[in-house]
Amino acid sequence: MLSKIMTALRGKANETGQAVVDSQALRILDQEIRDSENHLSQSKTELTRLMGQRQLNSNKADTLESKIAELEKSAEAALDKGEEQLAVEVAERMVALQDDLEAERAIISEYDASIEKLRGAIRGTDNQLRQLKQQVSVVKATESAQKAQSAV
Protein backbone atom coordinates (compact mmCIF):
# COMPACT_ATOMS: atom_id res chain seq x y z
CA MET A 1 0.00 0.00 0.00
CA LEU A 2 2.82 2.38 0.89
CA SER A 3 4.44 1.56 -2.45
CA LYS A 4 1.27 2.60 -4.32
CA ILE A 5 1.08 5.87 -2.39
CA MET A 6 4.72 6.64 -3.22
CA THR A 7 4.08 5.83 -6.88
CA ALA A 8 1.04 8.12 -6.88
CA LEU A 9 3.08 10.95 -5.31
CA ARG A 10 5.86 10.54 -7.87
CA GLY A 11 3.24 10.59 -10.64
CA LYS A 12 1.71 13.78 -9.26
CA ALA A 13 5.16 15.40 -9.00
CA ASN A 14 5.89 14.40 -12.60
CA GLU A 15 2.54 15.82 -13.77
CA THR A 16 3.16 19.06 -11.87
CA GLY A 17 6.63 19.39 -13.35
CA GLN A 18 5.30 18.70 -16.83
CA ALA A 19 2.51 21.26 -16.33
CA VAL A 20 5.09 23.91 -15.38
CA VAL A 21 7.18 23.07 -18.45
CA ASP A 22 4.09 23.12 -20.68
CA SER A 23 2.90 26.46 -19.32
CA GLN A 24 6.35 27.97 -19.84
CA ALA A 25 7.09 26.24 -23.15
CA LEU A 26 7.16 29.42 -25.24
CA ARG A 27 9.32 31.23 -22.71
CA ILE A 28 11.71 28.26 -22.62
CA LEU A 29 11.75 28.06 -26.41
CA ASP A 30 12.44 31.80 -26.72
CA GLN A 31 15.38 31.49 -24.33
CA GLU A 32 16.73 28.49 -26.23
CA ILE A 33 16.52 30.52 -29.44
CA ARG A 34 18.44 33.38 -27.80
CA ASP A 35 21.08 30.93 -26.55
CA SER A 36 21.38 29.43 -30.03
CA GLU A 37 21.74 32.89 -31.56
CA ASN A 38 24.57 33.65 -29.12
CA HIS A 39 26.33 30.40 -30.04
CA LEU A 40 25.82 31.18 -33.73
CA SER A 41 27.36 34.61 -33.23
CA GLN A 42 30.36 33.02 -31.51
CA SER A 43 30.70 30.60 -34.42
CA LYS A 44 30.72 33.48 -36.89
CA THR A 45 33.41 35.21 -34.83
CA GLU A 46 35.46 32.01 -34.85
CA LEU A 47 35.00 31.74 -38.62
CA THR A 48 36.32 35.27 -39.03
CA ARG A 49 39.33 34.42 -36.84
CA LEU A 50 40.06 31.29 -38.88
CA MET A 51 39.82 33.25 -42.11
CA GLY A 52 42.28 35.82 -40.73
CA GLN A 53 44.72 33.11 -39.69
CA ARG A 54 44.40 31.51 -43.12
CA GLN A 55 45.19 34.85 -44.76
CA LEU A 56 48.27 35.30 -42.57
CA ASN A 57 49.53 31.88 -43.61
CA SER A 58 48.74 32.64 -47.23
CA ASN A 59 50.75 35.87 -47.03
CA LYS A 60 53.63 33.96 -45.47
CA ALA A 61 53.49 31.41 -48.30
CA ASP A 62 53.55 34.22 -50.87
CA THR A 63 56.60 35.72 -49.17
CA LEU A 64 58.35 32.35 -49.20
CA GLU A 65 57.58 31.91 -52.91
CA SER A 66 59.09 35.29 -53.73
CA LYS A 67 62.20 34.52 -51.64
CA ILE A 68 62.60 31.21 -53.43
CA ALA A 69 62.33 32.98 -56.80
CA GLU A 70 64.96 35.52 -55.73
CA LEU A 71 67.28 32.77 -54.53
CA GLU A 72 66.81 30.91 -57.80
CA LYS A 73 67.95 33.98 -59.71
CA SER A 74 70.89 34.36 -57.33
CA ALA A 75 71.90 30.72 -57.85
CA GLU A 76 71.75 31.14 -61.63
CA ALA A 77 73.85 34.30 -61.41
CA ALA A 78 76.39 32.52 -59.21
CA LEU A 79 76.62 29.68 -61.72
CA ASP A 80 77.03 32.15 -64.57
CA LYS A 81 79.96 33.71 -62.69
CA GLY A 82 81.45 30.27 -62.02
CA GLU A 83 80.92 30.46 -58.24
CA GLU A 84 79.67 26.91 -57.76
CA GLN A 85 80.13 26.87 -53.96
CA LEU A 86 77.92 29.94 -53.60
CA ALA A 87 75.34 28.39 -55.95
CA VAL A 88 75.27 25.23 -53.80
CA GLU A 89 74.75 27.27 -50.62
CA VAL A 90 71.94 29.21 -52.27
CA ALA A 91 70.37 25.97 -53.50
CA GLU A 92 70.48 24.53 -49.97
CA ARG A 93 68.73 27.63 -48.67
CA MET A 94 66.12 27.24 -51.43
CA VAL A 95 65.44 23.65 -50.36
CA ALA A 96 64.90 24.75 -46.75
CA LEU A 97 62.51 27.48 -47.86
CA GLN A 98 60.72 25.02 -50.14
CA ASP A 99 60.09 22.76 -47.12
CA ASP A 100 58.71 25.74 -45.20
CA LEU A 101 56.51 26.60 -48.17
CA GLU A 102 55.09 23.08 -48.35
CA ALA A 103 54.32 23.20 -44.62
CA GLU A 104 52.51 26.53 -45.07
CA ARG A 105 50.50 25.14 -47.98
CA ALA A 106 49.45 22.15 -45.85
CA ILE A 107 48.32 24.49 -43.08
CA ILE A 108 46.39 26.60 -45.57
CA SER A 109 44.63 23.48 -46.86
CA GLU A 110 43.63 22.55 -43.31
CA TYR A 111 42.32 26.06 -42.72
CA ASP A 112 40.33 25.87 -45.97
CA ALA A 113 38.72 22.58 -44.91
CA SER A 114 37.89 23.93 -41.44
CA ILE A 115 36.47 27.13 -42.87
CA GLU A 116 34.20 25.29 -45.29
CA LYS A 117 33.02 22.92 -42.57
CA LEU A 118 32.25 25.82 -40.23
CA ARG A 119 30.49 27.76 -42.97
CA GLY A 120 28.26 24.76 -43.65
CA ALA A 121 27.45 24.38 -39.96
CA ILE A 122 26.64 28.08 -39.67
CA ARG A 123 24.35 27.96 -42.71
CA GLY A 124 22.54 24.91 -41.33
CA THR A 125 22.13 26.44 -37.88
CA ASP A 126 20.97 29.73 -39.36
CA ASN A 127 18.29 27.96 -41.39
CA GLN A 128 17.12 25.95 -38.37
CA LEU A 129 16.87 29.10 -36.27
CA ARG A 130 14.81 30.86 -38.93
CA GLN A 131 12.43 27.91 -39.11
CA LEU A 132 12.17 27.72 -35.33
CA LYS A 133 11.42 31.45 -35.06
CA GLN A 134 8.74 31.08 -37.71
CA GLN A 135 7.18 28.17 -35.82
CA VAL A 136 7.22 30.13 -32.56
CA SER A 137 5.46 33.02 -34.30
CA VAL A 138 2.78 30.65 -35.55
CA VAL A 139 2.33 29.13 -32.07
CA LYS A 140 2.08 32.59 -30.47
CA ALA A 141 -0.48 33.70 -33.05
CA THR A 142 -2.48 30.50 -32.49
CA GLU A 143 -2.33 30.99 -28.72
CA SER A 144 -3.58 34.57 -29.07
CA ALA A 145 -6.42 33.43 -31.30
CA GLN A 146 -7.40 30.74 -28.80
CA LYS A 147 -7.39 33.26 -25.95
CA ALA A 148 -9.60 35.59 -28.00
CA GLN A 149 -12.02 32.76 -28.81
CA SER A 150 -12.23 31.70 -25.15
CA ALA A 151 -12.89 35.31 -24.12
CA VAL A 152 -15.81 35.46 -26.57
Side-chain angles (χ1 to χ4, degrees), residues 1-72:
M1 180 72 105
L2 189 55
S3 172
K4 299 285 184 191
I5 292 173
M6 291 302 291
T7 302
L9 288 175
R10 280 194 326 244
K12 180 63 176 169
N14 190 22
E15 286 177 8
T16 303
Q18 191 62 42
V20 168
V21 169
D22 289 346
S23 69
Q24 300 298 319
L26 284 176
R27 185 172 293 145
I28 292 168
L29 193 55
D30 283 339
Q31 183 58 45
E32 288 176 348
I33 289 172
R34 283 190 294 275
D35 291 345
S36 295
E37 286 174 334
N38 287 336
H39 292 300
L40 184 61
S41 176
Q42 290 171 354
S43 294
K44 288 178 179 180
T45 300
E46 182 63 17
L47 175 63
T48 302
R49 188 190 68 75
L50 283 175
M51 291 171 73
Q53 282 298 120
R54 188 231 178 259
Q55 187 60 46
L56 287 174
N57 286 87
S58 180
N59 292 346
K60 188 174 179 181
D62 291 344
T63 301
L64 287 171
E65 286 175 350
S66 66
K67 284 182 182 179
I68 291 170
E70 287 175 20
L71 288 174
E72 189 174 325

Side-chain angles (χ1 to χ4, degrees), residues 121-133 135:
I122 288 172
R123 276 191 300 270
T125 301
D126 210 20
N127 288 336
Q128 288 175 335
L129 273 174
R130 267 197 306 269
Q131 290 173 354
L132 195 54
K133 286 179 184 179
Q135 290 172 357

Side-chain angles (χ1 to χ4, degrees), residues 64-125:
L64 287 171
E65 286 175 350
S66 66
K67 284 182 182 179
I68 291 170
E70 287 175 20
L71 288 174
E72 189 174 325
K73 289 178 185 175
S74 296
E76 288 175 6
L79 284 175
D80 289 344
K81 292 180 183 177
E83 299 174 357
E84 291 181 18
Q85 181 60 31
L86 178 60
V88 169
E89 290 174 12
V90 172
E92 288 173 354
R93 179 74 178 127
M94 283 175 46
V95 169
L97 289 178
Q98 191 68 34
D99 290 343
D100 292 346
L101 179 61
E102 291 304 315
E104 287 300 320
R105 286 181 178 159
I107 291 170
I108 291 168
S109 293
E110 290 175 16
Y111 274 126
D112 287 342
S114 295
I115 287 169
E116 282 309 307
K117 190 180 213 181
L118 191 52
R119 278 183 177 159
I122 288 172
R123 276 191 300 270
T125 301

